[in-house]
């Protein structure tokens, strides 16, 4: 998208004489994506030779690399996500390559494939909802406290979808999505189907209330970012939850949690 202040910086003063402009809407990134895929897969094969000791030819085959580049449609995020998915160490890379090659264009089938391989227990649902619905970022340590989980459990759940998110090197860092389209995917029932996350706002409100009940005492100021988040954002999640209800009324279980807190 065009940002006026950036556009002004590059079109005034001495900047134009030192700038090479490129029309991204007409730029063909296919060659660069092919080079990226070839390099990453070559590196992967060298690092994991035992996985390919019975392979008689280059892996992936040239035609498969060309097919992946074509599926990318000029989007590096697609190519990077495909590489992470195939190389994440969960399952056969050869089988995963075929899954990607047999899927339709776009990131949605890839997101669905990654989620289908995840262990959808209560902890995973908590962590997935949180990284999608958080109003502002929290470290893994603070996120764990907000969700009443251990940091180790949060990291374990994040590892289930590590090919489509960025996990920080330590628990003080923030979890980041590889691409905003993952959030859009989960919030659109027609796209995500069984992975749709419709009650995330309400869940975040409940977990925030539970955090306050557990950790805050009378006349005590919140001590860390998890407690501060719960105090400042629970009502924001409530407002969003009410706005997202088709009937305009919250489920009884959510109302009960508010009454318990009050």
């Amino acid at each position: 998208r065009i940002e006026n202040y950036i556009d002004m910086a590059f079109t005034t003063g001495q900047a134009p004489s030192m700038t090479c402009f490129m029309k991204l809407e007409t730029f063909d990134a296919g060659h660069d994506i092919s080079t990226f895929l070839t390099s990453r897969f070559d590196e992967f094969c060298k690092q994991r030779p035992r996985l390919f000791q019975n392979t008689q030819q280059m892996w992936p085959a040239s035609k498969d690399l060309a097919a992946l580049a074509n599926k990318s449609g000029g989007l590096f995020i697609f190519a990077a996500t495909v590489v992470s998915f195939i190389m994440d160490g969960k399952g056969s890379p050869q089988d995963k390559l075929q899954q990607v090659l047999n899927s339709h264009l776009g990131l949605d089938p890839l997101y669905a494939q990654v989620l289908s391989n995840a262990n959808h227990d209560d902890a995973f649902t908590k962590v997935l909802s949180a990284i999608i619905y958080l109003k502002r970022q929290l470290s893994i340590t603070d996120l764990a406290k907000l969700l009443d989980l251990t940091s180790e459990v949060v990291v374990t759940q994040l590892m289930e979808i590590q090919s489509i998110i960025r996990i920080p090197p330590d628990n003080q860092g923030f979890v980041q999505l590889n691409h905003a389209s993952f959030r859009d995917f989960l919030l659109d029932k027609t796209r995500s189907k069984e992975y749709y996350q419709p009650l995330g706002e309400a869940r975040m409100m409940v977990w925030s209330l539970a955090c306050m009940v557990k950790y805050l005492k009378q006349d005590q100021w919140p001590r860390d970012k998890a407690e501060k988040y719960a105090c400042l954002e629970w009502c924001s999640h409530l407002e969003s939850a009410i706005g997202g209800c088709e009937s305009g009324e919250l489920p009884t279980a959510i109302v009960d949690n508010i009454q318990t807190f009050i």
Side-chain angles (χ1 to χ4, degrees):
R1 63 177 184 262
I2 296 175
E3 297 286 1
N4 289 330
Y5 72 97
I6 296 177
D7 188 52
M8 285 288 292
F10 280 96
T11 56
T12 57
Q14 297 181 347
S17 63
M18 298 181 289
T19 305
C20 176
F21 288 91
M22 180 182 297
K23 293 185 177 181
L24 294 180
E25 63 271 18
T26 59
F27 177 73
D28 183 7
H31 176 72
D32 292 338
I33 288 176
S34 294
T35 301
F36 167 77
L37 291 171
T38 300
S39 174
R40 291 302 308 276
F41 282 125
D42 182 59
E43 180 183 356
F44 180 63
C45 290
K46 289 177 180 178
Q47 291 175 345
R48 308 286 182 87
R50 290 197 62 186
L51 293 175
F52 307 98
Q53 59 186 1
N54 295 323
T55 302
Q56 301 299 318
Q57 59 181 3
M58 181 186 75
W59 185 89
S62 297
K63 64 179 180 62
D64 292 337
L65 282 172
L68 286 179
N70 182 59
K71 278 180 172 290
S72 297
L75 297 175
F76 254 99
I77 182 61
F78 180 89
T81 303
V82 163
V83 168
S84 296
F85 172 63
I86 294 174
M87 299 181 184
D88 68 3
K90 297 173 61 179
S92 162
Q94 291 91 336
D95 290 345
K96 288 184 150 187
L97 172 62
Q98 290 306 312
Q99 291 173 5
V100 173
L101 291 172
N102 293 333
S103 68
H104 298 293
L105 292 173
L107 287 169
D108 284 8
L110 193 58
Y111 291 151
Q113 184 63 53
V114 172
L115 290 170
S116 71
N117 292 332
N119 178 27
H120 289 261
D121 57 15
D122 289 341
F124 179 79
T125 300
K126 269 190 171 185
V127 173
L128 182 62
S129 289
I131 63 175
I132 296 300
Y133 284 98
L134 275 175
K135 301 296 184 183
R136 46 198 168 90
Q137 289 184 316
L138 292 175
S139 69
I140 287 180
T141 298
D142 292 321
L143 180 61
K145 182 173 182 177
L146 180 67
L147 301 180
D148 198 24
L149 300 170
T150 65
S151 296
E152 291 74 21
V153 169
V154 171
V155 172
T156 299
Q157 304 311 313
L158 293 172
M159 292 293 289
E160 293 283 325
I161 54 172
Q162 61 180 316
S163 60
I164 52 180
I165 61 172
R166 291 195 293 276
I167 304 174
D170 60 65
N171 290 343
Q172 301 311 309
F174 303 132
V175 180
Q176 304 221 351
L177 305 182
N178 279 344
H179 198 266
S181 61
F182 182 49
R183 178 182 286 105
D184 298 335
F185 169 78
L186 289 173
L187 298 181
D188 188 335
K189 187 175 183 179
T190 62
R191 294 169 61 187
S192 53
K193 298 179 174 61
E194 67 267 30
Y195 306 118
Y196 177 50
Q197 298 286 317
L199 297 177
E201 295 283 8
R203 289 171 180 153
M204 289 298 299
M205 183 209 66
V206 170
W207 298 329
S208 295
L209 293 180
C211 179
M212 289 190 287
V213 169
K214 183 174 182 179
Y215 293 107
L216 297 184
K217 307 303 179 183
Q218 186 176 2
D219 299 328
Q220 177 181 311
W221 185 254
R223 296 164 295 178
D224 54 40
K225 291 183 178 180
E227 294 176 6
K228 290 178 182 177
Y229 181 95
C231 291
L232 294 173
E233 301 294 351
W234 76 269
C235 52
S236 177
H237 285 297
L238 173 60
E239 183 178 8
S240 297
I242 294 174
C245 290
E246 294 181 1
S247 64
E249 297 182 0
L250 287 172
T252 302
I254 305 301
V255 176
D256 290 343
N257 273 278
I258 298 175
Q259 291 176 336
T260 300
F261 173 74
I262 296 174

